[in-house]
């Protein structure tokens, strides 16, 4: 199964380009260093890259509260947002009504995800008041979400120079460092935010993300646990906690954490996809995997990764005709696209699903025709292509299903050829296939 944790959850024609650029998950995209450079590297229009970047941030972030301290007035404003920490109004003492009005308008635009207009409004506020600390902080947040991370750092640095106790600015800078791949600095800033406010759950969440990127999955899990101890309704932390638990091999615990995330947001396709993958590849609970991946596919029908994973789950749940149809549909929709837009590994996987569905139904003659097409295609691809599929769930299913000995041999050898760790050869496949009757 093409694991969502390592593959980007976007429409098919651009997925491979992101993967070639090292963007293999929503989390990777949300922490991209430079959207302009990413657009150049992938050939994807900048406005589209920015749109998916914003969507990625919204999907992996829970509803967040922004505690905003009014300098010199002692007013505390807490505003609930859907998706991101708000950039709403924080009074900064005495300043011009015009600058405050622009700042307020910028916050409203930020809350709606209109980061470019928000940035322009913050800039205008700073032209009027060059020492408007809150405008620098929120400006940094807008710049980061636009992929202009180095500029965001400069703005956040200025905000922290003017107010070294701004918890939100430290946490936002922690996320910016993580965007740039400077994970240790991200952890250090998150810790500063936590030191200033030990009850600021979102700093624990951002710390967990940086720890996860360093491969410190146990420490990341502890950070998400700390966030949830402070806020039991922190959906993002439940979802990320599920990912860390799966990486640690604690699959039942991972499912339970994703259950909690889905109770808080029953329409989260990422959580359904990840839970479906765990059910399929790790727990071998094929019906549950099918139901989860079907929901993910229905919520985001243009995501090729969900479609291909659903085809595999349809196969292992005994829905052979559906698996055959889905595999054909995915190939028909993507076969004529450039290889950079639909990977060789994906094309081979869907060809395999069609062959497997036919053999599992006992339809040997059409299966041999599809197998000949598979062999012909395989021989045409360049050597050393990337195999990014893991067939552990399907291998287990075929190994344990009563079926014709020769058909089982062919299917297992096919998996050995196209799995992420190949063990078979195309010559071996041809020899075994010649014995199909």
């Amino acid at each position: 199964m093409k694991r969502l944790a390592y593959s980007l959850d976007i429409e098919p024609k651009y997925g491979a380009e992101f993967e070639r650029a090292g963007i293999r998950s929503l989390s990777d995209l949300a922490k991209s260093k430079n959207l302009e450079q990413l657009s150049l590297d992938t050939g994807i229009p900048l406005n589209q890259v920015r749109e998916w970047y914003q969507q990625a941030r919204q999907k992996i972030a829970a509803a967040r509260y922004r505690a905003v301290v009014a300098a010199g007035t002692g007013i505390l404003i807490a505003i609930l947002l859907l998706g991101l920490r708000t950039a709403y109004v924080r009074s900064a003492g005495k300043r011009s009504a015009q600058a405050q009005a622009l700042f307020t308008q910028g916050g409203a635009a930020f809350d709606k995800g209109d980061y470019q207009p928000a940035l322009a409004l913050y800039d205008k506020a700073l032209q009027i008041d060059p020492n408007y600390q809150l405008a620098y902080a929120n400006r940094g947040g807008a710049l980061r979400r636009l992929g202009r991370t180095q500029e965001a750092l400069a703005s956040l640095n200025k905000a922290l120079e003017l107010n070294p106790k701004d918890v939100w600015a430290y946490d936002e800078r922690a996320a910016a460092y993580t965007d740039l791949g400077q994970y240790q600095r991200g952890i250090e800033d998150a810790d500063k935010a936590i030191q200033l406010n030990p009850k600021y759950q979102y700093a624990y969440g951002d710390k967990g993300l940086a720890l996860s990127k360093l491969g410190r999955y146990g420490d990341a899990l502890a950070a998400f646990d700390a966030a949830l101890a402070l806020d039991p309704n922190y959906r993002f932390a439940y979802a990320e906690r599920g990912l860390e638990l799966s990486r640690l091999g604690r699959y039942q615990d991972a499912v339970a954490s994703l259950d909690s995330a889905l109770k808080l947001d029953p329409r989260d396709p990422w959580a359904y996809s990840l839970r479906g993958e765990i059910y399929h590849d790790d727990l071998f609970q094929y019906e549950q995997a099918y139901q989860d991946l079907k929901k993910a596919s229905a919520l985001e029908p243009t995501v090729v990764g969900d479609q291909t994973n659903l085809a595999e789950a349809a196969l292992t749940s005994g829905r052979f005709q559906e698996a055959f149809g889905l595999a054909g549909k995915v190939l028909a929709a993507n076969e004529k696209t450039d290889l950079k837009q639909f990977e060789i590994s994906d094309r081979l996987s869907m060809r395999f699903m069609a062959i497997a569905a036919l053999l599992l139904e006992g339809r040997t003659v059409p299966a041999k025709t599809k197998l000949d097409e598979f062999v012909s295609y395989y021989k045409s691809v360049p050597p050393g292509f990337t195999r990014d599929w893991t067939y552990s769930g399907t291998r287990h299913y075929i190994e344990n299903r009563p079926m014709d000995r020769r058909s089982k041999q062919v299917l297992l050898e096919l998996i050995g050829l196209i799995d992420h760790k190949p063990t078979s050869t195309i010559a071996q496949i041809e020899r075994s296939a010649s014995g199909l009757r």
Side-chain angles (χ1 to χ4, degrees), residues 47 205 312 365 412:
N47 63 340
E312 188 174 9
V365 173
L412 290 175

Side-chain angles (χ1 to χ4, degrees), residues 360-375:
L360 286 164
E361 282 190 315
R363 299 170 62 189
T364 307
V365 173
K368 290 180 69 175
T369 300
K370 290 292 183 183
L371 187 54
D372 289 341
E373 294 174 3
F374 176 98
V375 170

Side-chain angles (χ1 to χ4, degrees), residues 159-410:
L160 287 165
E161 177 186 325
L162 292 168
N163 180 10
K165 294 186 178 182
D166 187 333
V167 174
W168 187 86
Y170 272 120
D171 187 35
E172 189 67 18
R173 195 172 70 173
Y177 279 133
T178 300
D179 290 350
L180 293 169
Q182 299 179 36
Y183 306 125
Q184 188 57 46
R185 297 186 77 172
I187 293 167
E188 290 168 2
D189 264 6
D191 281 338
K192 289 176 183 176
I194 291 167
Q195 185 177 9
L196 287 167
N197 183 358
K199 295 184 178 181
Y200 192 61
Q201 64 268 47
Y202 308 116
Y204 293 95
D206 284 321
K207 181 179 180 179
L209 285 175
L211 288 164
S212 180
K213 295 298 290 186
L214 287 172
R216 295 169 58 183
Y217 304 134
D219 292 335
L221 177 62
F224 293 126
D225 283 344
L228 287 166
L230 292 167
D231 182 359
N233 293 316
Y234 193 176
R235 185 200 58 80
F236 162 67
Y238 280 118
E240 285 294 324
R241 181 176 181 272
L243 178 58
E244 304 311 319
L245 286 165
S246 71
R247 286 168 165 166
L248 292 168
R250 295 171 56 184
Y251 302 120
Q252 293 288 3
D253 291 337
V255 167
S257 193
L258 291 163
D259 288 345
S260 297
L262 286 165
K263 285 180 182 177
L264 292 168
D265 181 5
R267 295 185 59 80
D268 182 352
W270 187 85
Y272 280 120
S273 290
L274 179 56
R275 193 174 69 176
E277 291 160 8
I278 295 169
Y279 276 138
H280 190 275
D281 287 346
D282 304 310
L283 298 176
F284 309 136
Q285 297 178 19
Y286 302 115
E287 183 60 29
Q288 291 94 323
Y290 173 81
Q291 295 300 334
D292 270 1
L293 291 166
K294 193 171 183 67
K295 288 175 183 175
S297 181
L299 287 166
E300 291 190 328
T302 63
V303 177
V304 71
D306 286 344
Q307 295 291 328
T308 53
N309 283 347
L310 179 59
E312 188 174 9
L315 180 80
T316 54
S317 64
R319 296 170 170 86
F320 305 134
Q321 291 186 14
E322 182 178 352
F324 183 85
L326 283 169
K329 180 180 177 181
V330 171
L331 283 169
N334 298 279
E335 188 74 325
K336 294 182 180 180
T337 62
D338 188 276
L339 279 174
K340 294 179 181 180
Q341 298 173 349
F342 187 50
E343 295 280 11
I344 292 171
S345 187
D346 297 322
R347 298 174 187 229
L348 288 171
S349 69
M350 291 300 95
R351 284 174 165 82
F352 167 79
M353 297 306 160
I355 295 165
L358 291 168
L359 285 178
L360 286 164
E361 282 190 315
R363 299 170 62 189
T364 307
V365 173
K368 290 180 69 175
T369 300
K370 290 292 183 183
L371 187 54
D372 289 341
E373 294 174 3
F374 176 98
V375 170
S376 177
Y377 176 71
Y378 185 89
K379 289 181 175 180
S380 73
V381 304
F385 67 89
T386 301
R387 291 169 166 85
D388 56 4
W389 270 70
T390 301
Y391 292 86
S392 57
T394 298
R395 185 191 297 275
H396 182 272
Y397 174 78
I398 292 172
E399 286 176 342
N400 290 277
R401 179 182 171 83
M403 61 185 298
D404 170 72
R405 181 187 64 82
R406 178 66 69 172
S407 295
K408 179 176 290 194
Q409 178 185 353
V410 168

Side-chain angles (χ1 to χ4, degrees), residues 147-164:
R148 297 164 59 180
T149 315
Q150 290 289 359
E151 295 173 77
L153 276 179
S155 194
L156 291 164
N157 288 341
K158 181 65 175 178
L160 287 165
E161 177 186 325
L162 292 168
N163 180 10

